Amino acid sequence: AQIIGSQLEKMVNCSLTVINSGQQCPQQTNSSDCGVFVILAASHVIKDKPLTYTQEDAPYMRAKILSDFCGFC
């Protein structure tokens, strides 16, 4: 993560901070929910919530993410 973070800092020309929540991150079980899981992980870490979601939560969370983003349109 530190190597990738260093490379990203050079690309975007700003300082980044790596956050380690100490939690095991849930993994999707298919090839189509990786974005949902990344957004959920970031959201949960920022809100200091446990990473307790599962693959079964993905359809609901995808709809919620879309609804949240459409609120900004």
Side-chain angles (χ1 to χ4, degrees):
Q2 289 179 336
I3 293 170
I4 293 171
S6 175
Q7 292 172 346
L8 282 172
E9 285 179 341
K10 291 176 187 174
M11 290 172 61
V12 297
N13 196 27
C14 70
S15 179
L16 302 174
T17 302
V18 175
I19 297 173
N20 181 351
S21 71
Q23 299 182 65
Q24 185 69 21
C25 193
Q27 303 291 306
Q28 81 271 10
T29 57
N30 60 30
S31 61
S32 60
D33 287 326
C34 56
V36 172
F37 274 67
V38 168
I39 291 170
L40 286 173
S43 174
H44 280 65
V45 168
I46 289 168
K47 296 174 183 174
D48 199 26
K49 292 172 57 177
L51 303 176
T52 56
Y53 50 90
T54 67
Q55 183 68 51
E56 289 75 30
D57 299 318
Y60 167 78
M61 294 311 297
R62 180 183 285 111
K64 181 168 178 3
I65 291 165
L66 178 62
S67 174
D68 290 347
F69 278 118
C70 285
F72 291 106
C73 300

